[in-house]
Amino acid sequence: MATTTSAPPPGGIDTLVLGRRIRHLRTARDMTLDDLGAAIGRAPSQVSMLENGHREPKLSLLGLVAEALDVPLSELLRTDPPTRRAALEVELERAQRGPLFASLGIPPVKVGRSLPPDALEALVRLQAEIQRLLTENAATPEEARRANAELRARMRAQDNYFPELEEHARTLLKAIDHPGGPLSQRATADIAAHLGFSLHYVTDLPHSTRSVTDLAHGRIYLSQGTGSTADARSPLLQALASHVLGHAEPRDYGDFLRQRVEANYMAAALMLPEDGAVPFLQQAKNERRLSVEDLRDTFAVPYETAAHRFTNLATRHLGIPVHFMKVHEGGTLHKAYENDGVVFPSDPLGAIEGQPVCRQWTARVVFTLPDRFSPYYQYTDTSSGTYWCTSRVQPSSQGAFSVSVGVPFSQVRWFRGRETTERSQSRCPDPTCCRQPPADLAQRWASQAWPSARPHASLLAALPVGVFPGVDTTEVYRFLDRHAPE
């Protein structure tokens, strides 16, 4: 039977399988919870927590358990459940802790010995079938959402740090003798020349592109308009990054998304070089004045670029887990990253894009403030812990977005803005937190209102087709024909 539930954390102990192995070995020896607890010096309730997979024990405790059960430690750490029933119990437990059950509001079933085998089998098969139908019936946009979820998991597993991309950036900067600090427009052009490209600024760049590279003639075309991008260096550096990384025509949307993330990452690594940004951040941490704004100003980049770059370097070089959010003024999550335990809203497939963000979170509260120039700081108590966040609002052609960076409460001592008294409490995903209107308003207007929604166009259409999703290939080819050298 295929596993359709979330896998255990990479590199960690699978506590559910471990617990079932301990229970199987204990009962096979006619030992009670009291017996095993007495043998290892722990209360029966702690043994029960261990067997139910609610706690990851230290190896020293597992050594005591193995000794009490008269088995080698390797027997406890095997990754396969001891029986088929145990395998079914593990799968059901995992499903009940995953996003599908949470999104459907299904109350959990106690998975114990009293649950009949046929009921256990039926529940596991039922959740697998629901998952299969969701996947099978998903339209093309859902394929993109799954690809986003997979990429986010990869980024989390490596703390959003890509050493090979850092090395590529370091090599390019060394090739043009970059002295450190901000990367100028001239230095950006020098990188292009070093790679054999000439730059051409035009007024008729295809509307669906930020740049077009003519590989046959070594040309990169960019928009002459100053309002086309927040930073004129970004589209050029992203095009150069794709060339350096050997990106080919994407095989599918997941490949396209991976290429885009890699190009964005490398562009940021060129604008905020690791060799300069890390010492700057380490000194700021030592002085307890970490700030995304200071990073932005020191390297002369947009705030969002600085926020992204901070997430690349914070965990690997500063030992600080973080999360990042970009939220539309309409309240929906545009993109996000986390490795600090914060729980983002998600759909049954685990995708977060387009999900409504709690009104109490910093990323939403910042839209209610009259001052959109100064950074806003807030502590938020959530079901997964207390987080401190800093947030700013930035305009775009698609409306205003808030860009937020946050850390767990235990890490706030390193940051500017930690002295804020702003605090909020979020009970989401409990619908009574902010999704359900107050009772008096609901009673007054529930049957008297008919709003006309203004959804984003992407909600009503499938993902654009083509080798490069969203790009009009015919328009690009005609453009290259017009501008190709004689």
Side-chain angles (χ1 to χ4, degrees), residues 120-289:
L120 175 61
E121 182 96 33
L123 286 170
V124 170
R125 293 186 63 177
L126 180 62
Q127 68 84 21
E129 183 66 11
I130 293 173
Q131 189 77 55
R132 185 190 68 78
L133 290 172
L134 282 171
T135 303
E136 187 177 273
N137 295 334
T140 302
E142 275 63 43
E143 295 176 14
R145 293 165 75 82
R146 285 195 296 273
N148 270 288
E150 291 169 3
L151 181 61
R152 199 170 67 253
R154 177 192 170 197
M155 294 164 68
R156 184 190 308 115
Q158 57 194 67
D159 296 324
N160 202 19
Y161 180 80
F162 295 75
E164 67 280 7
L165 301 182
E166 301 286 354
E167 187 57 37
H168 278 301
R170 189 176 293 109
T171 299
L172 284 178
L173 293 171
K174 183 178 180 180
I176 64 166
D177 296 321
H178 180 59
L183 186 72
S184 66
Q185 190 74 33
R186 179 183 294 275
T188 305
D190 289 343
I191 294 175
H194 168 72
L195 294 173
F197 289 99
S198 60
L199 305 182
H200 301 265
Y201 291 88
V202 297
T203 58
D204 61 339
L205 193 74
H207 75 283
S208 59
T209 67
R210 301 184 70 201
S211 70
V212 174
T213 302
D214 179 349
L215 296 173
H217 302 99
R219 291 179 160 209
I220 296 180
Y221 295 97
L222 299 154
S223 175
Q224 205 174 78
T226 56
S228 60
T229 179
D231 189 313
R233 297 167 297 174
S234 293
L236 172 56
L237 291 174
Q238 289 162 6
L240 294 172
S242 289
H243 172 73
V244 170
L245 298 173
H247 288 164
E249 291 187 352
R251 299 182 303 273
D252 50 34
Y253 185 78
D255 196 35
F256 165 77
L257 188 61
R258 175 190 59 80
Q259 291 183 8
R260 189 179 69 173
V261 167
E262 289 178 350
N264 289 345
Y265 186 109
M266 188 168 160
L270 287 165
M271 289 191 285
L272 297 92
E274 184 177 28
D275 294 345
V278 169
F280 173 82
L281 291 172
Q282 288 173 334
Q283 181 178 349
K285 181 185 177 186
N286 292 338
E287 297 173 1
R288 298 180 181 243
R289 56 172 182 81

Side-chain angles (χ1 to χ4, degrees), residues 436-451:
Q436 290 182 352
D440 56 337
L441 284 177
Q443 184 177 6
R444 186 181 314 157
W445 294 107
S447 59
Q448 304 298 324
W450 185 263

Side-chain angles (χ1 to χ4, degrees), residues 335-387:
K335 56 183 174 180
Y337 162 77
E338 54 78 25
N339 70 348
D340 61 356
V342 71
V343 178
F344 291 134
S346 66
D347 66 10
L349 297 176
I352 62 174
E353 291 73 22
Q355 294 297 304
V357 174
C358 178
R359 296 176 185 273
Q360 312 305 326
W361 284 20
T362 313
R364 292 288 302 276
V365 174
V366 68
F367 286 115
T368 67
L369 306 177
D371 179 7
R372 293 194 172 184
F373 180 78
S374 304
Y376 175 67
Y377 310 107
Q378 177 181 298
Y379 291 95
T380 308
D381 300 319
T382 75
S383 59
S384 58
T386 297
Y387 296 88

Side-chain angles (χ1 to χ4, degrees), residues 15-27 31-33 36 44-55 69 89 93:
T15 57
L16 287 172
V17 173
L18 172 67
R20 262 47 182 198
R21 296 200 68 82
I22 293 174
R23 178 180 295 165
H24 174 74
L25 293 167
R26 174 180 63 79
T27 55
M31 296 177 69
T32 64
L33 289 173
L36 183 54
S45 59
Q46 291 179 288
V47 178
S48 178
M49 290 277 286
L50 181 60
E51 291 187 350
N52 288 320
H54 294 309
R55 178 172 300 170
L69 296 174
E89 290 181 353
E93 285 278 16

